[in-house]
């Protein structure tokens, strides 16, 4: 087959590479995470390998497409407007800044919140290589938006992002204080959010507070049920949590969580 084109999909370096024919239809794809090439028709195998050769690394395998799992079938059946996976961190704040008309002080606060969500969201998205899956701006009934939901080997985490503003942050049982600002009820809110998510997913959910750009974080010794993350050390903190989910369980829970009807 002539004129095959290789097109990327997903995050740079980690997504799929699709091999398309002259008519634009995919004839094969290369999963860079598993190093597997799936070819739809064996008579195209040599042409596909020639097109993909500059991109192949390590000990790759080639064969027909694998049988889709139950989670993959649910994803394929999910309408695009009901799929939360494409949400960007802080997407609703981007819209408020672009189309809303708040005062200058409110806009400054929105920018701080957006920067914090994007900073934490980027850290969580980077955990995909360690088999974690992240969702952003997840709607919880009666509570508003959950900044991030993380599903991975150590379970399901409901994440609330707090801008540290390069000041000291103090986390108590009920309130969180950044610098000299008024205390915020983030600890109470994230507990309620985690309980709500656990009820809808029928799985345990850990409440998490993520402090972005705080100069120092102090956690009261009585706060034992909330996990505290900071972007530079998020990956190492999560590696220290005992694993409780196998890869098929992670994919099944993520498939359920990415579906908007799960939350409505």
């Amino acid at each position: 087959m002539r004129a095959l084109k290789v097109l990327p999909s997903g995050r740079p370096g980690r997504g799929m590479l699709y091999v398309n024919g002259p008519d634009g239809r995919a004839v094969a794809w290369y999963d860079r995470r598993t190093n597997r090439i799936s070819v739809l028709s064996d008579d195209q195998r040599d042409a596909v390998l020639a097109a993909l050769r500059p991109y192949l690394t390590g000990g790759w395998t080639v064969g027909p497409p694998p049988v889709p799992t139950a989670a993959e079938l649910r994803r394929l059946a999910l309408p695009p407007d009901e799929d939360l996976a494409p949400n960007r961190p802080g997407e609703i704040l981007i819209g408020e800044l672009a189309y809303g008309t708040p005062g200058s002080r409110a806009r400054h606060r929105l920018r701080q919140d957006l920067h914090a969500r994007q900073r934490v969201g980027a850290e969580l998205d980077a955990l995909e290589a360690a088999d974690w899956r992240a969702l952003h701006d997840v709607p919880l009934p009666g509570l508003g938006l959950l900044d991030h939901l993380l599903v991975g080997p150590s379970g399901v985490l409901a994440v609330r992002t707090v801008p540290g503003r390069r000041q000291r942050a103090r986390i108590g049982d009920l309130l969180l204080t950044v610098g000299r600002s008024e205390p915020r009820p983030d600890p109470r809110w994230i507990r309620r959010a985690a309980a709500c998510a656990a009820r809808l997913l029928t799985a345990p959910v850990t409440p998490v507070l993520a402090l972005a750009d705080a100069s120092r974080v102090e956690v009261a010794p009585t706060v034992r049920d909330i996990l505290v993350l900071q972007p530079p050390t998020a990956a190492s903190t999560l590696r220290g949590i005992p694993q409780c989910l196998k890869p098929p369980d992670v994919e099944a829970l993520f498939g359920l969580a990415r579906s908007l009807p799960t939350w409505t």
Side-chain angles (χ1 to χ4, degrees), residues 132 149-152 154-158 197 201 203-208 244-245 253 257:
W132 288 88
L149 187 81
L150 197 61
V151 185
S154 300
V156 184
L157 311 180
L201 295 175
V205 178
T206 300
V208 179
C244 59
L245 294 179
L253 273 172

Side-chain angles (χ1 to χ4, degrees), residues 7-152:
L7 299 175
S9 174
R11 296 189 180 93
R14 291 198 298 246
M16 296 279 197
L17 289 177
Y18 285 91
V19 183
N20 291 355
D23 59 357
R25 295 182 180 181
V27 297
W29 55 89
Y30 172 40
D31 187 338
R32 286 180 281 193
R33 293 185 60 214
T34 61
N35 255 358
R36 177 179 173 82
I37 304 169
S38 297
V39 183
L40 293 178
S41 179
D42 198 55
D43 60 1
Q44 300 165 349
R45 175 173 175 150
D46 291 340
V48 167
L49 291 177
L52 283 173
R53 198 164 302 280
Y55 307 96
L56 299 178
T57 60
W60 46 269
T61 59
V62 61
V67 176
T69 64
E72 289 170 335
L73 290 174
R74 284 195 297 270
R75 176 181 60 81
L76 292 171
L78 191 62
D81 59 347
E82 294 182 358
D83 189 0
L84 299 178
N87 287 2
R88 296 171 294 173
E91 187 156 10
I92 192 168
L93 298 183
I94 297 174
E96 289 182 18
L97 283 169
Y99 304 108
T101 55
S104 58
R105 180 175 296 181
R107 289 184 67 85
H108 177 67
R109 182 166 296 179
L110 283 177
R111 290 192 189 97
Q112 287 183 330
D113 289 342
L114 176 59
H115 172 75
R117 293 189 197 183
Q118 290 177 331
R119 174 86 187 279
V120 172
E123 292 285 335
L124 300 183
D125 284 339
L127 295 171
E128 183 179 349
D131 296 326
W132 288 88
R133 303 288 181 266
L135 293 172
H136 312 288
D137 285 5
V138 177
L140 297 180
L143 292 173
L145 289 180
L146 175 65
D147 296 339
H148 318 281
L149 187 81
L150 197 61
V151 185

Side-chain angles (χ1 to χ4, degrees), residues 6 11 19 39 52 68 108 120 146 157 167-168 170 181 183 188 211 213 219 256:
V6 179
R11 296 189 180 93
V19 183
V39 183
L52 283 173
H108 177 67
V120 172
L146 175 65
L157 311 180
Q167 299 181 57
R168 181 180 65 174
R170 290 167 291 178
S181 61
R188 284 183 293 180
L211 279 295
D213 301 318
V219 183
L256 179 63

